Amino acid sequence: MRLVIAGLVAASFFAADPASAAEDPLKSRLISMEKASWAAWQRMDVTFWNRFLSDDHVELNGYVGATGKKSVIDGIAGKACHVASYKVSDFTFRRFDPGTALLIYRAEQDTTCGPVKVPSPVWATSLYQLRGGRWVNVLYGHSPILTPPLRKPSS
């Protein structure tokens, strides 16, 4: 259920100064949480996802648009997808304020949901907020990594 978000967010995000973000201890905590979400995705662990996602979580789905926590949980509970393998890397972090932070990273997965193969590789985006003393995922989406078109040689 890790679905699509606009690539423009990723492009503007990477223009940020990664050196200042690297100092924030929250970065490693959220990366650990994100990695745990992928392991729970592969296991189809409903208990994990009920706690990990905010009640007002938004997931961008390339087929139907925005969906919510219930749709994500129902898909996991129904074992609609099979995750054969996955790999996450190249994390970039930005904290917007004391209670809001964003991860963008590269994700590869061999996943099928029914007859549909999930796009891979992608740039994934996860937005977190601190609520009730804990960090929860409020937004997730991903955008396929595209190869730039070849330029015609100048005549």
Side-chain angles (χ1 to χ4, degrees), residues 8-66:
L8 293 177
V9 172
S12 64
F13 183 78
F14 287 117
D17 176 12
S20 62
E23 304 299 322
D24 193 324
L26 180 60
K27 178 181 180 179
S28 62
R29 181 174 177 190
L30 293 184
I31 289 172
S32 292
M33 288 175 62
E34 196 69 21
K35 288 179 177 179
S37 78
W38 280 86
W41 167 232
Q42 187 173 44
R43 291 189 315 273
M44 297 291 131
D45 184 344
V46 173
T47 302
F48 174 91
W49 286 96
N50 267 313
R51 182 159 171 75
F52 178 72
L53 301 178
S54 66
D55 288 340
D56 59 350
H57 173 81
V58 175
E59 190 132 333
L60 296 176
N61 178 321
Y63 296 105
V64 298

Side-chain angles (χ1 to χ4, degrees), residues 123-140:
W123 287 115
T125 303
S126 276
L127 182 68
Y128 289 87
Q129 285 191 324
L130 183 60
R131 296 186 180 174
R134 65 185 185 90
W135 289 93
V136 292
N137 187 279
V138 297
L139 172 72
Y140 176 85

Side-chain angles (χ1 to χ4, degrees), residues 71-120:
S71 177
V72 173
I73 298 300
D74 288 351
I76 292 169
K79 304 209 183 307
C81 300
H82 172 71
V83 182
S85 65
Y86 68 89
K87 178 183 174 186
V88 294
S89 63
D90 303 318
F91 286 88
T92 303
F93 168 85
R94 178 175 293 168
R95 186 191 284 254
F96 294 105
D97 60 42
T100 308
L102 181 69
L103 290 175
I104 292 181
Y105 59 95
R106 181 185 172 94
E108 298 175 40
Q109 62 180 312
D110 179 4
T111 299
T112 53
C113 296
V116 178
K117 184 126 176 100
V118 175
S120 181

